[in-house]
Amino acid sequence: MNIRNEIKSQIIRAGFTMQEALDRLAEEHDWSDSVSNLSAKLQRESIRYKEVMELADVLGYELIWQKRR
């Protein structure tokens, strides 16, 4: 699965629309509330690690690095 589909899937699984997630990101982390900006970042696969962490935060997730078994 590519980054774009994975992130969109996580947004949906968390029960949000893209706009709802962006509204929370704008409120809590000063993001632009433009869906087209996020969509473009996902399409280009140019989203930053910090942005992914902030997105996970508003969706109620915690990203954990775990050693492979």
Side-chain angles (χ1 to χ4, degrees), residues 58-69:
V58 300
L59 296 179
Y61 290 101
E62 178 177 355
L63 299 181
I64 299 171
W65 289 60
Q66 183 175 337
K67 186 86 170 162
R68 286 187 215 146
R69 298 176 192 183

Side-chain angles (χ1 to χ4, degrees), residues 28-40:
E28 295 179 27
H29 297 285
D30 296 323
W31 278 43
S32 163
D33 63 352
S34 167
V35 172
S36 61
N37 286 348
L38 178 58
S39 291

Side-chain angles (χ1 to χ4, degrees), residues 1-11 13 42:
M1 186 177 285
N2 65 30
I3 292 169
R4 177 177 174 259
N5 290 338
E6 180 66 26
I7 290 176
K8 283 184 155 186
S9 294
Q10 293 302 328
I11 291 170
R13 280 189 202 125
L42 296 177

